[in-house]
């Protein structure tokens, strides 16, 4: 690791003037993802500041909603999906972030919003069993749907998030036109019909990253949609799984502050600190999610070989479709109802 605690501490004193000895409660999703956050972000923050991170796992924004509605908020910072944070912010569950405190000058615009700032970038990709297909498996969503060229069982997302876009691209819609095509009930139905076409080959509709990674590790399905970092960790554990970024869905996880957080100001400064390049350049050592701070690619910590595997590296970003939070804000509720009807047919 290039940085030292002394260097980080000096930077901290110069920029955020945090008091030592305070405690923040930070909630994430557990598993290999939270382990990576802890090693790359939380523990170095503690070493640099003298503050303590009390880590918890939680069930997502439903837990935040319960705390905020009851007036008993105990969480200071939560990890969230970008879409969940956008909806929670619109619902009044999150504090607006202070971008005078949090420096996002080196973040692409797509990786932060009013209520949430990106902590890592991941991709929804079609993963495949290398024992069955070799290393040259499906590239893009048309291949995922092609059961003649790639016979075998599939798994697919059990909720609408990231489920309709692959179907649209499998239909031949250009990535830049996907959300325009999905911006009507007729367009959503067209995507659902494409999923219905594949449904006889879908053995499992998965509900979590741990589940879709385990499906591939156990060889229970031959292909699945899912998150790139989970597949890489499964492969490191011996799973015969690989993927390509062609037509992946580019998304990000982010950090948010629940409305009424007991340590709001310290939480803001915490997010500012761990958003720096010298923290984010360590995350790929523990999980293959990319940094949101573009400067992390210039520190020397991320080699060219590693950068080639990360979803936010320029070459990989160019071949992917960024998730549209605007589309989800307008259409997700309707699309989710239609998706659940399709699942129960």
């Amino acid at each position: 690791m290039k940085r030292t605690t002394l260097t980080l501490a000096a930077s901290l004193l110069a920029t955020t003037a945090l008091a030592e000895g305070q405690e923040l409660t930070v909630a994430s999703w557990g598993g290999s993802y939270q382990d990576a956050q802890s090693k790359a972000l939380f523990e170095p923050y503690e070493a640099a500041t003298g503050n303590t991170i009390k880590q918890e796992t939680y069930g997502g924004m439903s837990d935040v909603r319960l705390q905020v509605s009851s007036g008993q908020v105990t969480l200071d910072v939560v990890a969230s999906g970008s879409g969940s944070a956008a909806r929670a912010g619109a619902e009044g569950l999150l504090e607006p972030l202070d971008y005078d405190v949090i420096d996002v000058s080196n973040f692409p615009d797509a990786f932060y919003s009013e209520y949430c700032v990106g902590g890592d970038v991941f991709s929804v990709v079609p993963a495949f069993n290398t024992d069955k297909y070799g290393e040259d498996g499906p590239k893009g969503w048309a291949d995922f749907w092609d059961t003649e060229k790639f016979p075998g069982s599939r798994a697919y997302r059990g909720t609408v998030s990231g489920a309709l876009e692959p179907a649209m691209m499998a239909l031949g819609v250009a990535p830049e036109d996907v959300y325009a095509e999905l911006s009507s009930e007729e367009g959503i139905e067209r995507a659902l019909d494409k999923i219905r076409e594949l449904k006889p080959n879908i053995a499992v509709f998965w509900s979590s990253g741990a589940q879709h990674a385990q499906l591939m590790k156990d060889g229970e399905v031959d292909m699945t949609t899912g998150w790139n970092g989970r597949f890489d960790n499964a492969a490191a554990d011996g799973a015969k799984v690989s993927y390509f970024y062609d037509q992946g869905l580019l998304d990000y996880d982010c950090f948010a502050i629940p409305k009424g957080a007991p340590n709001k100001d310290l939480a803001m400064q915490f997010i500012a600190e761990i958003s720096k390049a010298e923290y984010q350049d360590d995350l790929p050592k523990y999980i293959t999610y990319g940094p949101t701070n573009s400067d992390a690619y210039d520190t020397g910590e991320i080699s060219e070989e590693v950068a080639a595997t990360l979803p936010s590296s320029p070459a990989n970003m160019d071949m992917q479709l960024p998730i549209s939070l605007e589309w989800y804000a307008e259409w997700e509720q309707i699309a989710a109802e239609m998706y659940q009807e399709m699942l129960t047919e």
Side-chain angles (χ1 to χ4, degrees), residues 32-34 36-37 120 228-230 232-233 282-290 310:
S32 59
Y33 177 71
Q34 189 163 344
Q37 288 179 311
D120 62 82
N228 71 287
R230 295 282 191 167
D232 287 329
N233 281 355
D282 278 346
L283 192 65
K285 296 175 183 178
Y286 307 108
I287 194 166
T288 50
Y289 293 154
L310 300 178

Side-chain angles (χ1 to χ4, degrees):
M1 186 179 297
K2 173 177 77 301
R3 65 170 183 268
T4 66
T5 297
L6 179 62
T7 302
L8 278 176
S11 171
L12 181 79
L13 290 171
T15 57
T16 58
L18 295 184
E20 292 187 3
Q22 300 189 60
E23 182 178 88
L24 276 173
T25 301
V26 179
S28 189
W29 299 306
S32 59
Y33 177 71
Q34 189 163 344
D35 287 344
Q37 288 179 311
S38 182
K39 292 172 183 174
L41 306 176
F42 305 158
E43 293 171 17
Y45 169 85
E46 289 178 318
T49 67
N51 295 325
T52 301
I53 300 299
K54 179 185 176 185
Q55 293 190 49
E56 296 187 2
T57 58
Y58 83 134
M61 286 300 172
S62 59
D63 289 358
V64 173
R65 183 178 296 106
L66 181 61
Q67 289 197 4
V68 173
S69 63
S70 67
Q72 298 179 330
V73 181
T74 62
L75 302 176
D76 294 306
V77 178
V78 295
S80 173
S82 59
S84 296
R87 293 187 295 275
E91 193 178 333
L93 301 179
L94 302 176
E95 299 282 357
L97 296 182
D98 186 349
Y99 287 112
D100 289 332
V101 174
I102 303 167
D103 181 7
V104 291
S105 59
N106 295 308
F107 281 51
D109 290 345
F111 294 159
Y112 63 93
S113 65
E114 181 178 0
Y115 297 100
C116 205
V117 63
D120 62 82
V121 183
F122 66 94
S123 295
V124 178
V125 293
F128 57 91
N129 184 302
T130 54
D131 271 353
K132 186 175 181 70
Y133 304 113
E135 296 295 332
D136 191 23
K139 292 182 179 179
W141 298 109
D143 279 357
F144 187 84
W145 256 261
D146 192 339
T147 57
E148 292 188 8
K149 183 178 179 182
F150 298 102
S153 60
R154 270 69 163 164
Y156 206 78
R157 184 88 190 249
T159 57
V160 77
S161 179
L164 300 180
E165 298 95 330
M168 271 295 174
M169 285 185 275
L171 283 164
V173 175
E176 61 269 22
D177 297 328
V178 163
Y179 286 111
E181 292 291 325
L182 286 172
S183 293
S184 67
E185 290 192 25
E186 292 77 15
I188 293 169
E189 191 64 32
R190 185 181 171 205
L192 292 175
D193 283 342
K194 189 64 175 174
I195 298 171
R196 288 185 181 100
E197 175 188 310
L198 189 64
K199 205 173 176 183
N201 297 90
I202 299 175
V204 179
F205 282 94
W206 57 265
S207 60
S208 72
Q211 182 186 12
H212 70 57
Q214 194 66 42
L215 288 169
M216 296 304 291
K217 192 172 181 180
D218 293 344
E220 190 172 336
V221 296
D222 300 309
M223 290 189 202
T224 183
T225 63
W227 302 317
N228 71 287
R230 295 282 191 167
F231 296 130
D232 287 329
N233 281 355
D237 283 341
K240 304 300 184 183
V241 60
S242 189
Y243 61 86
F244 297 103
Y245 281 116
D246 301 63
Q247 295 187 330
L249 304 181
L250 196 67
D251 202 351
Y252 65 97
D253 296 309
C254 55
F255 292 104
I257 301 174
K259 193 77 170 178
N263 298 291
K264 172 186 169 182
D265 290 343
L266 187 62
M268 206 77 68
Q269 293 166 342
F270 164 78
I271 293 174
E273 183 67 11
I274 64 171
S275 295
K276 294 177 180 178
E278 58 262 36
Y279 285 83
Q280 290 211 354
D281 63 8
D282 278 346
L283 192 65
K285 296 175 183 178
Y286 307 108
I287 194 166
T288 50
Y289 293 154
T292 47
N293 187 329
S294 298
D295 278 2
Y297 285 106
D298 299 325
T299 65
E301 284 292 302
I302 302 175
S303 68
E304 290 184 8
E305 292 77 15
V306 171
T309 71
L310 300 178
S312 63
S313 69
N316 289 332
M317 283 183 66
D318 286 347
M319 67 176 72
Q320 298 183 77
L321 170 65
I323 291 285
S324 171
L325 297 185
E326 293 78 14
W327 183 87
Y328 277 94
E330 182 175 358
W331 287 99
E332 183 175 22
Q333 185 173 350
I334 292 170
E337 292 173 0
M338 295 173 68
Y339 196 74
Q340 288 307 308
E341 288 178 7
M342 181 273 299
L343 290 179
T344 57
E345 291 172 353

